[in-house]
Amino acid sequence: MSDKIEDLQRRMDAAANALDFEEAQRIRDRINLMRGGATAADVAKSDTSGLVRQQPGAMGLGTSRQRPTPPPGWKPPPKPDLMTSGRKGK
């Protein structure tokens, strides 16, 4: 398996030297999948075009959280009235 990773590393370097950065990125993602434990067959079938890397400067606690989008037609509930919350009716 290390021979395969080294071969991919050489191909990635050659693509970067030829200024084909898109191909170098695809090969880099395949190398990362193999280092993560995927088999060569799984890596060959995988589509890494949708992977997005974290942007520089966007690091820190909570920046890698998913940003959920509400379903269509959803409205947030009304906020409680601070003047009447916590009081008992008499």
Side-chain angles (χ1 to χ4, degrees), residues 6-88:
E6 290 172 2
D7 181 44
L8 287 173
Q9 183 74 35
R10 282 191 291 275
R11 287 178 46 203
M12 181 181 70
D13 291 339
N17 289 335
L19 301 179
D20 187 5
F21 298 116
E22 290 83 11
E23 180 65 22
Q25 176 185 2
R26 281 190 287 276
I27 295 171
R28 181 202 58 208
D29 292 338
R30 291 178 65 188
I31 291 171
N32 287 338
L33 286 172
M34 289 184 73
R35 286 183 179 158
T39 63
D42 292 338
V43 170
K45 289 188 286 186
S46 66
D47 178 25
T48 59
S49 62
L51 294 180
V52 179
R53 300 214 172 260
Q54 191 174 24
Q55 296 297 318
M59 300 175 131
L61 187 61
T63 56
S64 61
R65 291 187 319 189
Q66 292 182 353
R67 290 175 175 64
T69 57
W74 181 82
K75 290 187 238 175
K79 297 197 183 257
D81 184 10
L82 297 177
M83 298 299 288
T84 58
S85 64
R87 291 184 166 183
K88 294 183 181 180

